[in-house]
């Protein structure tokens, strides 16, 4: 049931308070619980206790520890432990143990090493199963090695190894990413003829591929196909379709899909709202975007874990950025400022995009915002520097522009085309201004057009 901490508490009570002797099975459960709680270090400590009590760890013990090491991104340590077990020959690695190491290698981008391990399995007594092949084929597809994945898939067929919807989905996704539609279609037909029913994830892959090809209408037709085969679209399916419509400027179509999703009894998530808010802002329909922004808390879209909370905060800032940008472009600067300062009251931190947009919209307050930005630990990028320098030059604040230009160059950034053009234009009209001359000397090379006029 996933209540690992409670299970550990029960084991502790059984042993220390009730006096029930702990056996190898209980040790394995405790080790597994610690690994699931990302405390593989405690699990390894229990392994030492297990040896002291005279127990012999079995394959399950080591499988659990190997998986625990991989879960905390210690795949090299897991591989070392696996190699040690192979050398000692006290434990005969089973297909689960091999599969665990293959998964760890693929997760860390070591697909080729996983393939080598697969060859060892094929030549040895412990033959690879569907899970091992699926893991490697999926990793090959993600590494854009689709042809190698296809060869491995054919080998599975020759050896009579069962192929499931997961492995077909990986291959179809890989083929779609390369625009190999004919092969992807043939593979889908092969899967259906084999009696393997597509699941919602496969349909999501196909919908996403069609969307990327600009075929939103065709993607929506898949909804009917899904329903006819007894597979209901999920929130991911609807979000993908909505995103496709928004990317092509069809916000009304995206909203229609959103309403259909709600009518089907599905609950939109934060990504659903982000897609629509972004779409409305690109169309400068700010009122609709604000309505959706206010609706989100009423939907109960609140983070429930630390990780998810951080993700939602990033998304919340991104949503505010979209709105602030739209209000600045629409010259509704008071509303943009209200949204900007509302971020802090909500415990959110403006990012470099937020500050840059505010500076661009409020050039009169650029200096104050630039200082505030650095004080809050948000370092400006090249876009920020160029916008502020352009603002200073436009306001004839050449001394400030000179200081900032020097700082920008020191940070490894350079003036963009707009800044360069502005400086060149100023050479002819303000060339004799001493402060401006310093700006130009710092920026323009000796042989630049107009430079000889001010030397």
């Amino acid at each position: 049931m996933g209540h690992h901490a409670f299970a550990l508490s029960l084991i502790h009570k059984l042993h220390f308070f009730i006096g029930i002797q702990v056996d190898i099975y209980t040790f394995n459960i405790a080790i597994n619980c610690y690994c699931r709680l990302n405390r593989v270090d405690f699990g390894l400590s229990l392994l030492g206790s297990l040896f002291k009590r005279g127990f012999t760890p079995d394959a399950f013990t080591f499988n659990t520890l190997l998986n625990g090491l991989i879960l905390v991104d210690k795949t090299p340590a897991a591989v070392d432990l696996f190699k040690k077990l192979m050398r000692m020959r006290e434990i005969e690695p089973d297909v689960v143990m091999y599969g665990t190491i293959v998964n760890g290698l693929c997760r860390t981008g070591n697909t080729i090493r996983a393939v080598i391990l697969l060859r060892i399995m094929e030549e040895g007594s412990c033959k690879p199963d569907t899970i091992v092949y699926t893991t490697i084929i999926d990793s090959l597809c993600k590494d854009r090695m689709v042809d190698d994945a296809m060869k491995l898939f054919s080998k599975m067929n020759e050896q009579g190894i069962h192929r499931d919807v997961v492995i077909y989905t990986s291959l179809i996704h890989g083929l779609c990413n390369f625009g190999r539609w004919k092969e992807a279609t043939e593979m889908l037909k092969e899967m259906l003829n084999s009696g393997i029913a597509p699941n919602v994830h496969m349909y999501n892959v196909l919908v996403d591929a069609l969307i990327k090809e600009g075929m939103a209408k065709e993607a929506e037709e898949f909804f009917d196909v899904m329903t006819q085969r007894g597979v209901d679209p999920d929130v991911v399916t609807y979000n993908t379709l909505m995103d496709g419509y928004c990317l092509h400027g069809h916000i009304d179509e995206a909203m229609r899909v959103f309403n259909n999703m709600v009518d089907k009894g599905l609950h939109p998530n934060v990504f659903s709202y982000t897609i629509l808010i972004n779409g409305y802002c690109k169309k400068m329909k700010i009122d609709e975007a604000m309505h959706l922004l206010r609706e989100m808390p009423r939907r109960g879209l609140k983070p429930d874990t630390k990780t998810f909370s951080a993700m939602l905060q990033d998304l919340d800032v991104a949503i505010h950025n979209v709105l602030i940008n739209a209000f600045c472009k629409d010259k509704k600067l008071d509303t943009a400022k209200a949204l900007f300062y509302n971020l802090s009251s909500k415990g959110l931190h403006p990012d470099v995009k937020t500050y840059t947009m505010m500076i661009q919209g409020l050039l009169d307050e650029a200096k104050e915002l630039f200082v505030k930005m650095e004080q809050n630990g948000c370092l400006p990028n090249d876009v920020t520097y160029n916008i502020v320098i352009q603002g200073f030059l436009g306001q004839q604040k050449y001394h400030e522009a000179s200081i900032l230009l020097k700082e920008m160059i020191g940070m490894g950034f350079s003036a963009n085309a707009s800044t360069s053009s502005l400086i060149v234009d100023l050479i002819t009209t303000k060339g004799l201004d001493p402060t401006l001359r310093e700006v130009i000397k710092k920026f323009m090379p000796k042989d630049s057009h107009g430079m000889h006029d001010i030397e």
Side-chain angles (χ1 to χ4, degrees):
M1 293 173 64
H3 300 294
H4 304 112
F6 185 62
L8 286 169
S9 175
L10 285 176
I11 292 171
H12 181 79
K13 289 178 181 177
L14 285 171
H15 180 60
F16 289 101
F17 294 102
I18 303 177
I20 295 177
Q21 186 63 35
V22 177
D23 57 16
I24 180 65
Y25 303 105
T26 317
F27 265 107
N28 283 345
I29 292 169
I31 290 171
N32 184 47
C33 287
Y34 278 125
C35 288
R36 295 292 178 181
L37 292 168
N38 294 326
R39 294 310 307 260
V40 67
D41 51 337
F42 287 174
L44 290 167
S45 298
L46 280 181
L47 179 64
S49 299
L50 191 150
F51 281 118
K52 288 179 182 178
R53 291 174 181 250
F55 294 120
T56 302
D58 55 18
F60 181 85
T61 313
F62 287 109
N63 282 340
T64 303
L65 287 169
L66 290 171
N67 190 56
L69 287 166
I70 289 167
L71 285 174
V72 294
D73 297 323
K74 293 184 178 180
T75 296
V79 172
D80 289 342
L81 176 58
F82 177 73
K83 288 179 178 177
K84 186 177 180 180
L85 292 172
M86 293 281 283
R87 288 195 303 268
M88 292 169 57
R89 295 187 179 277
E90 292 185 9
I91 297 290
E92 185 67 29
D94 57 12
V95 69
V96 176
M97 191 175 292
Y98 275 106
T100 301
I101 297 300
V102 164
N103 179 49
L105 290 171
C106 290
R107 279 181 50 166
T108 52
N110 293 295
T111 311
I112 302 303
R113 291 181 67 187
V115 173
I116 294 171
L117 193 57
L118 174 69
R119 302 295 179 228
I120 294 173
M121 291 184 72
E122 289 174 337
E123 295 170 4
S125 57
C126 183
K127 302 297 182 184
D129 60 3
T130 303
I131 295 174
V132 173
Y133 276 109
T134 301
T135 304
I136 294 176
I137 285 175
D138 183 65
S139 189
L140 286 169
C141 289
K142 287 175 179 175
D143 289 345
R144 304 182 70 79
M145 301 167 68
V146 181
D147 290 330
D148 293 303
M150 292 289 285
K151 290 176 184 176
L152 209 54
F153 182 75
S154 298
K155 191 170 186 179
M156 286 180 69
N157 188 39
E158 293 169 4
Q159 296 178 351
I161 298 173
H162 173 68
R163 298 177 294 179
D164 58 14
V165 66
V166 178
I167 201 164
Y168 274 104
T169 302
S170 296
L171 283 167
I172 290 172
H173 194 189
L175 291 168
C176 287
N177 284 339
F178 278 96
R180 294 160 67 171
W181 291 97
K182 186 177 179 181
E183 291 171 87
T185 303
E186 289 299 319
M187 183 153 287
L188 178 60
K189 289 178 182 177
E190 178 189 314
M191 186 187 79
L192 295 173
N193 292 334
S194 301
I196 300 173
N199 58 18
V200 68
H201 179 60
M202 169 165 280
Y203 280 113
N204 289 345
V205 165
L206 292 169
V207 168
D208 181 61
L210 288 168
I211 289 296
K212 288 176 180 176
E213 291 293 317
M215 302 164 68
K217 283 295 181 184
E218 291 82 351
E220 193 164 0
E221 289 172 4
F222 261 82
F223 279 47
D224 295 331
V225 179
M226 292 175 72
T227 306
Q228 290 168 8
R229 294 187 171 273
V231 181
D232 293 324
D234 61 8
V235 176
V236 176
T237 322
Y238 283 100
N239 284 352
T240 304
L241 188 56
M242 286 158 49
D243 194 37
Y245 278 127
C246 285
L247 284 173
H248 293 89
H250 305 308
I251 184 63
D252 292 336
E253 290 295 304
M255 196 68 215
R256 176 182 57 78
V257 173
F258 178 86
N259 291 329
N260 287 343
M261 173 173 63
V262 174
D263 291 341
K264 294 288 185 182
L266 293 172
H267 299 288
N269 58 21
V270 69
F271 298 102
S272 313
Y273 280 96
T274 304
I275 290 165
L276 289 174
I277 290 170
N278 192 29
Y280 273 125
C281 287
K282 285 181 178 177
K283 287 286 187 179
M284 299 303 291
K285 296 185 176 182
I286 307 304
D287 291 339
E288 290 87 342
M290 288 297 292
H291 172 74
L292 287 171
L293 186 64
R294 295 189 190 101
E295 187 179 301
M296 289 175 71
R298 296 198 293 269
R299 290 276 186 184
L301 294 175
K302 294 181 180 180
D304 53 4
T305 66
K306 191 173 182 179
T307 303
F308 192 53
S309 175
M311 182 186 70
L312 282 183
Q313 286 198 20
D314 289 341
L315 280 171
D316 205 351
V317 172
I319 292 169
H320 277 74
N321 285 349
V322 171
L323 291 169
I324 288 170
N325 186 44
F327 282 126
C328 286
K329 286 182 177 179
D330 203 27
K331 303 300 181 184
K332 296 180 178 178
L333 300 180
D334 289 339
T335 310
K337 286 176 69 174
L339 271 173
F340 174 74
Y341 289 109
N342 188 45
L343 279 168
S344 299
S345 66
K346 293 176 67 175
L348 300 172
H349 303 289
D351 60 16
V352 65
K353 288 183 179 179
T354 322
Y355 279 107
T356 302
M357 286 185 293
M358 289 301 300
I359 288 170
Q360 191 167 24
L362 302 167
L363 284 174
D364 290 340
E365 302 176 31
K367 188 174 182 179
E368 292 76 11
L369 283 168
F370 195 83
V371 172
K372 183 181 179 67
M373 179 182 186
E374 292 187 321
Q375 288 175 344
N376 291 337
C378 184
L379 297 179
N381 59 17
D382 58 332
V383 178
T384 318
Y385 275 109
N386 276 285
I387 287 173
V388 178
I389 290 169
Q390 290 168 29
F392 283 155
L393 290 174
Q395 296 168 345
Q396 299 183 10
K397 296 180 179 179
Y398 303 131
H399 178 68
E400 288 88 341
S402 175
I403 293 172
L404 209 56
L405 186 60
K406 183 179 180 181
E407 183 181 316
M408 179 179 74
I409 294 169
M411 293 289 289
F413 301 130
S414 59
N416 61 21
S418 297
T419 306
S420 303
S421 177
L422 183 59
I423 291 177
V424 171
D425 288 343
L426 285 170
I427 290 174
T428 56
T429 57
K430 302 282 185 179
L432 299 178
D433 186 288
T435 310
L436 180 59
R437 185 162 58 243
E438 289 303 310
V439 174
I440 297 171
K441 281 183 179 179
K442 288 176 183 177
F443 169 70
M444 301 293 288
K446 291 285 184 180
D447 59 348
S448 293
H449 171 67
M451 189 61 198
H452 65 275
D453 293 331
I454 62 170
E455 286 290 357

